[in-house]
Amino acid sequence: MHGTGARWFFNGTEAMRTSRLARSATGVEALVVNGATVSFDDLKVTELPAESHIRPMGSPLTVIAHRGASSAAPENTLVSDEIARRGGAAYIENDVQPSKDGVPYVLHDATVDRTTDGTGRIRDLTSAQLNALDAGAWFAPAYEGARVPTLAAQLADLRSRGGDLLLEIKGAHTRDEVATIVKTVRDHGMTGRVFVQSFEVSALQYTHELAPELPLGLLRDSLDADPVAVAEELHLSAYNPSEGALSKNPGVVKGLHAAGVAVNVWTVDSAARWQALEAAGVDGIITNRPAELSGWNAVWLQRRQTAPDAPAVSLVSPAADARPDRAQTPVVTVRSTGADQVALTLDGAPVSAGQSLDLAGLTAGEHTLRAEAIGPGTTTATSVFTVTASRTGLAHLILTSGAEDHVVSTMTGMLGRGHYAHLATWAKKQAGKAGLSAGRGALIAAEATALA
Ligand code: G3P
Ligand code: CA
């Protein structure tokens, strides 16, 4: 248990989790289960070390609702937070900025123009002016009446309703402005449930000076040359790159984990990308679709419980040690079980299952087909086959060469008589003339030489 989050492990595998652990003012803990009474016996309570935000082995991705459930409700409002919470988000991500009179409000843009019925920069508007704005009608009529929440209202709501807060200090802030945010968090008794992140290095430095107990995340839209060094310098608990930035070098996750730093990636709404990021080992996904990611996590967990530890994969065609000639067009065929995705390459270049291989386009000799099956773990299979010279293959090369009839006829005549050495010399000379391309001429010559 940390804050309102709890995970149950059975023999080292996560069996259940919640982000809605209720805690009374006097510290009594209770698990809220709809319609059920739950009792626990023989509890042994052990103090845990400071929470690591690195995803334990066997646990699904941490669901972080970007500006609340912003695909379903107006961003950065209490209603979008409620939908995110009910959709299974562990964290709600909100942006904070001060009003003209210094009150921290939850708003993403520098102005209120896009997400309210008002206009103007938030830093030029007083609390009274901000409180009067409608922050819901722009999204849909059903949300008319939603307000721009103060950070204080946001924290009070989270405290009573559940969910932890990934609080982005948006834009440059003075030390005093950060101090106001920290005081608000402390006044609400929420330091154990707030994670601060920012693109602004100075905002993180001020937060660390003022409240070293608050975990910090650095937002980046491109990777640092040495993310671990940056994390150490800024006392980070998390390094939070954009999806585009991480995809340039997913290998940074390993180094950050070794340094005890979690990696949360923004803003990712596609299941295909969740799959790739889970395989890359990232810890959390900041998404506009928290309910969908929670559902995806549930399926992921279910598959882990029912699937074998690692997927199985084998290559059926071209089979290992096969010696196809150039008249054949083998179809890439792979068999796999328990895999979410199978990536295939031929000599390092991507190919697809079901693709016909044009052997006339391959050099004679060995070629390697490789399959990588990704599921709960990764399994690979390789097939090394040999493109081989044969009389039939040579006939195929001649007949599909596109050369003029008299050239084809001369070559097939030589082939019929078994005059391979002559054919090789003749094809070399003829290459580039009368419809016989230089490449195909050279290939016919090489094949004939091999048969001579
Ligand atoms: O949490 C990451 C993400 O919120 C950063 O971008 O512009 O949505 O605040 P933005
Ligand atoms: Ca944000």
Side-chain angles (χ1 to χ4, degrees), residues 64 66-67 93 95 108 166 168 170 197 199 219 240 266-267 286:
I64 306 170
H66 183 237
R67 311 181 197 171
E93 190 263 3
D95 307 281
H108 176 271
L166 178 59
E168 180 183 345
K170 181 56 94 182
Q197 67 168 2
F199 287 102
L219 286 164
N240 298 348
W266 49 278
T267 301
I286 300 170

Side-chain angles (χ1 to χ4, degrees), residues 196-220:
V196 171
Q197 67 168 2
S198 189
F199 287 102
E200 311 293 329
V201 166
S202 61
L204 297 179
Q205 287 167 331
Y206 293 145
T207 306
H208 182 70
E209 287 162 22
L210 294 159
E213 73 275 22
L214 282 173
L216 301 179
L218 176 65
L219 286 164
R220 285 297 206 211

Side-chain angles (χ1 to χ4, degrees), residues 361-388:
L362 293 182
T363 55
E366 284 189 354
H367 295 272
T368 303
L369 181 66
R370 184 172 188 277
E372 185 174 86
I374 303 163
T378 299
T379 309
T380 59
T382 53
S383 163
V384 179
F385 62 94
T386 305
V387 174
T388 312

Side-chain angles (χ1 to χ4, degrees), residues 344-355:
L344 290 162
T345 55
L346 177 62
D347 299 329
V351 288
S352 313
Q355 180 179 331

Side-chain angles (χ1 to χ4, degrees), residues 98-101 110-111 119-127 129-130:
S99 63
K100 186 177 181 183
D101 46 341
T111 74
T119 56
R121 280 166 37 86
I122 178 170
R123 284 173 175 270
D124 294 337
L125 297 169
T126 63
S127 300
Q129 288 171 312
L130 288 167

